[in-house]
């Protein structure tokens, strides 16, 4: 018996008394999945300095090893997103890369094309006024569709750095049209049974306009493109005070929420550990997802069940694997709390206009200490009850520090 057991028994008893089905909650928690990003294991920094982290991954194999370790510690992170060309294999052997991942016990998840780091992209990629550069970007995006088939990925995750810095720099309407034409060509070449997720961001690196500034633009384009196109919500890409859970609810209801890039922000695209600044917001987001997954409306519940939960973080001062483990655990905790919301009671309070009662029903779920429940779930799936402690005790961090050492960085990523 581990030391969480007594606390778990008490919690299970109290949840049962509240009318909750503890076994069903545990089953849901065991089915939860969070994808980690390959770039989160490499060195990264701010635009001022990238401080190299001892043991940070350099090669894609090392990143896959690290992702596999995070999965081993948490039991719920069995896939890793790749960024191309950062993760292009030296020998171009993508099948070999997939096999290597599978041999480590993980699979390859979303493919993220990179059309922002080449010299050519100074004025954008698909939105660039130069047709030659639009074509270069398009070629890369289509190459990524082929890579998806080689690595068995069913998600093309699109983020564009495109935009303008000055009023008058380019025609806003022409840029829109270029983007629509480019996205259409990519959409037509998507592997069957796969999805294209369109990520929005209202600032940076362009600051006067970005070509996909908000969820409304991404949503409008996904509607125009077809059912394989959906919206990706990156928690760091909103203005201060935006109600993200409302965006999530809207997109779920319309069948167009495709996935998340989880992180946390204080000011902008800070890419901090998800749930570290505003765990309540994360809970409220999960609450929308859980409510939708349990909905009797089939489009809504199917959409919720297909959401791709991905982390998009870069840890600059706090290490690499331990903060990634913590990020996964924070998602797990938020999800667990969302499963405790008494939905039938809440619906009754809402219908009766009982504002405070409804609010309290929700906040009571948020306040519950679910840690013993999570320790129990982990133990039942064969993961360590305390993943971070287990990680430090595993010797993995010492091993990668010793074997990989410190790699010089240039700035930005890698
Ligand atoms: C962007 C965006 C993308 C990510 C890059 C590295 O802000 O979040 O998803 O791939 O950063
Ligand atoms: Mn992102
Ligand atoms: Mn971002």
């Amino acid at each position: 018996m581990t030391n969480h057991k007594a606390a778990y028994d008490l919690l299970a008893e109290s949840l049962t008394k509240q009318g909750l089905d503890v076994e069903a909650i545990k089953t849901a928690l065991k089915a939860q999945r969070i994808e980690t990003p390959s770039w989160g294991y490499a060195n990264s920094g701010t635009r001022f300095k990238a401080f190299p982290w001892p043991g940070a991954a350099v090669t894609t194999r090392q990143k896959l090893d690290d992702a596999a370790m995070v999965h081993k510690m948490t039991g719920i992170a069995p896939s890793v997103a790749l960024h191309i060309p950062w993760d292009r294999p030296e020998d171009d052997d993508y099948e070999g890369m997939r096999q290597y991942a599978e041999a480590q016990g993980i699979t390859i998840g979303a493919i993220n094309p990179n059309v922002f780091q080449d010299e050519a992209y100074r004025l954008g990629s698909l939105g660039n006024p130069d047709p030659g550069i639009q074509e270069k970007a398009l070629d890369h995006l289509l190459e990524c569709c082929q890579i998806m088939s080689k690595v068995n990925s069913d998600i093309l995750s699109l983020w564009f750095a495109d935009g303008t810095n000055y009023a008058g720099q380019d025609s806003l309407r022409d840029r829109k049209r270029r983007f629509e034409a480019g996205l259409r060509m990519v959409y037509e070449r998507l592997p069957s049974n796969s999805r294209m997720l369109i990520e929005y961001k209202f600032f940076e690196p362009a600051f006067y306009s970005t070509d996909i500034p908000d969820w409304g633009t991404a949503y409008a384009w996904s509607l125009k493109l077809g059912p394989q196109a959906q919206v990706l919500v990156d928690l760091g890409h909103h203005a201060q005070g935006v109600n993200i859970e409302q965006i999530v609810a809207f997109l779920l209801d319309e069948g167009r929420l495709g996935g998340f890039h989880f992180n946390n922000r204080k000011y902008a695209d800070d890419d901090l550990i998800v749930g570290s600044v505003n765990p309540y917001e994360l809970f409220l987001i999960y609450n929308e997802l859980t409510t939708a997954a349990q909905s009797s409306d089939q489009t809504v519940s199917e959409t919720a069940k297909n959401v791709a939960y991905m982390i998009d973080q870069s840890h600059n001062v706090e290490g690499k694997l331990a903060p990634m483990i913590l990020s996964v655990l924070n998602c797990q905790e938020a999800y667990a709390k969302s499963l405790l919301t008494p939905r039938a009671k809440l619906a009754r309070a809402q219908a009766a206009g009982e504002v405070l009662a409804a609010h309290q029903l929700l906040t009571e779920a948020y306040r519950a200490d679910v840690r013993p429940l999570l320790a129990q779930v982990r133990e039942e799936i064969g993961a360590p009850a305390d993943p971070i402690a287990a990680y430090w005790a595993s010797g993995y961090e010492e091993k990668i520090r010793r074997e990989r050492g410190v790699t010089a960085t240039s700035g930005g990523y890698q």
Side-chain angles (χ1 to χ4, degrees), residues 41-44 49-59 62 316 319-320 397-410 414:
Y41 300 109
N43 275 322
S44 60
K49 165 81 178 157
F51 294 101
W53 192 263
V58 178
T59 65
Q62 291 171 343
N316 302 334
K320 298 289 168 191
E397 184 85 12
E398 289 85 346
K399 180 172 162 286
I400 57 175
R401 286 185 188 204
R402 198 173 53 241
E403 288 175 3
R404 301 177 187 167
V406 179
T407 314
T409 55
S410 49
Q414 311 198 302

Side-chain angles (χ1 to χ4, degrees), residues 39 83 86 112 116 159 199 201 234 237 261 269 312 413:
W39 55 100
H83 224 298
W86 296 340
N112 292 246
F116 51 87
W159 174 72
E199 184 171 353
K201 182 177 179 181
D234 181 312
H237 293 188
H261 269 178
D269 192 19
D312 179 10
Y413 290 84

